[in-house]
Amino acid sequence: MRKKKSVSSKDVAREAGVSQATVSYILNNVKGIKIRPETRQAVLDAIKKLNYHPDQIARGMKLKRSMSVGVVTDRNVTNFYFMKTLEGIRDGLQAHNYSVSLLFNKYESIQEAEFIKYYNSNRIDGIIFAFASISDEDMAYMDSMGIPYVMVNTYSSGKDVGEVCTDHLAHIQEVIGYFKSKGVKYIAYAGPVPRRANDKRLEAFKEAMVLHGYQVKDDRIVLGGQDNGEVCRAIMELLEGRDSRPDAILAASPRFGMLTVKSCHMLGIRIPQDVRIVAVGSSNFFELIYPTLSSIELPLYDMGLKAAEMVLKAIDDGSIAPTIVLPSEFVIRESS
């Protein structure tokens, strides 16, 4: 077996015609050091040519760090929200030569949590909680241990912690106004049963309806669970009503949006001619179904990127940034 050829930063410096210190400055994104663009490009070209990869173990030992951040979630790891956010986290960490450690285990006490064991054994330097349920007691324990962590949530927790979330609920008013501009008379809501106190989707819908002069009626609100068949039956029952049948539906999640489209197809109801549909949230399937589904899109990748930036700063200097709210976007497609 051929022995792996070792390439050092010294080799990169020789190839680029610069000092080894300059290579180090570029690799580590050292602040306050001015490097000409052509010099930086020469080093990057040399790295690519020589297939150089920094020795992360040696670098970590020098900095007394693991050079890895734990990412914790209680979502299904195939969930689009998690995967798109993880993509941003990965890119944000890799830009600073950090890797990702995925940690998923359930725990009864915070002391027994896998991510705590990883931190205490110096296998990670900080933690990003991506759409994970973390209690006040858990946060208090991590604060007492001085553990750098950041939370990524769809909604703000309202707590004084490092957190990245979005303003997507504010766009519900825009959606209801859009329906009104299209002459919609009756608007319904279909979404999951709220499981967390900070889930304000239904509340935001009701406020937007009142703001635009619509009546909020309980018989035009469908709340469902995980059984897709039951959700479809409930939406179909809503659409089959002869009196005040909705001519627009706000679906409070990507799944409910697609189930609403399915229910309309099963009943032979035309979209958007008979019913206009807008979903709250993002999915890579919205462009694939027919008609394509209008939605309030969340900046999931940017949320991950920002979380990576925040946790690295917390690792570097212990500072906790305030809650960061990133802008969402109402994207109009064929369904509305």
Side-chain angles (χ1 to χ4, degrees), residues 81 154 166-176 201 204 250-254 277-283 286 293-300 327-333:
Y81 274 40
T154 311
T166 81
D167 67 347
H168 68 292
L169 295 185
H171 288 283
I172 290 179
Q173 287 190 7
E174 183 182 354
V175 172
I176 302 303
R201 283 174 287 187
L250 177 73
S253 75
I277 305 169
V278 173
V280 178
S282 304
S283 172
F286 287 169
L293 190 56
S294 298
S295 61
I296 299 173
E297 294 285 330
L298 278 63
L300 299 170
S328 301
E329 181 184 8
F330 174 28
V331 178
I332 298 173
R333 300 188 179 96

Side-chain angles (χ1 to χ4, degrees), residues 147-249:
I147 299 175
Y149 68 93
V150 171
M151 299 168 63
V152 179
N153 285 315
T154 311
Y155 320 101
S156 171
S157 66
K159 299 167 184 174
D160 188 21
V161 296
E163 186 173 37
V164 182
C165 56
T166 81
D167 67 347
H168 68 292
L169 295 185
H171 288 283
I172 290 179
Q173 287 190 7
E174 183 182 354
V175 172
I176 302 303
Y178 173 80
F179 284 154
K180 187 175 183 178
S181 72
K182 296 296 183 180
V184 167
K185 293 183 178 180
Y186 306 113
I187 305 174
Y189 174 96
V193 176
R195 297 181 181 276
R196 300 181 183 180
N198 62 338
D199 184 347
K200 306 294 185 183
R201 283 174 287 187
L202 181 55
E203 182 180 320
F205 168 76
K206 291 179 177 179
E207 290 176 354
M209 290 283 283
V210 172
L211 177 69
H212 288 285
Y214 286 100
Q215 281 188 309
V216 178
K217 291 196 172 184
D218 290 340
D219 60 0
R220 294 196 197 118
I221 295 175
V222 172
L223 297 178
Q226 295 301 314
D227 188 317
N228 291 336
E230 287 186 3
V231 171
C232 277
R233 285 189 289 274
I235 295 173
M236 290 169 70
E237 184 178 337
L238 172 72
L239 292 170
E240 286 178 317
R242 294 187 178 278
D243 297 328
S244 304
R245 188 179 81 178
D247 44 350
I249 297 177

Side-chain angles (χ1 to χ4, degrees), residues 221-323:
I221 295 175
V222 172
L223 297 178
Q226 295 301 314
D227 188 317
N228 291 336
E230 287 186 3
V231 171
C232 277
R233 285 189 289 274
I235 295 173
M236 290 169 70
E237 184 178 337
L238 172 72
L239 292 170
E240 286 178 317
R242 294 187 178 278
D243 297 328
S244 304
R245 188 179 81 178
D247 44 350
I249 297 177
L250 177 73
S253 75
R255 181 170 70 94
F256 273 78
M258 288 183 279
L259 290 175
T260 301
V261 171
K262 178 180 178 180
S263 299
C264 287
H265 288 326
M266 293 172 70
L267 292 173
I269 293 175
R270 299 174 303 166
I271 307 170
Q273 294 90 336
D274 300 325
V275 175
R276 298 178 184 273
I277 305 169
V278 173
V280 178
S282 304
S283 172
N284 54 351
F285 293 114
F286 287 169
E287 292 280 1
L288 302 180
I289 63 174
Y290 179 78
T292 56
L293 190 56
S294 298
S295 61
I296 299 173
E297 294 285 330
L298 278 63
L300 299 170
Y301 178 87
D302 291 341
M303 291 166 70
L305 203 63
K306 177 58 70 173
E309 175 187 311
M310 289 170 65
V311 79
L312 291 178
K313 182 168 178 54
I315 291 168
D316 282 341
D317 59 24
S319 63
I320 301 297
T323 296

Side-chain angles (χ1 to χ4, degrees), residues 101-103 113-124:
S101 294
L102 299 179
L103 306 169
E114 187 178 31
F115 54 85
I116 295 298
K117 293 178 181 178
Y118 266 57
Y119 181 80
N120 288 337
S121 60
N122 298 316
R123 295 166 72 181
I124 57 175

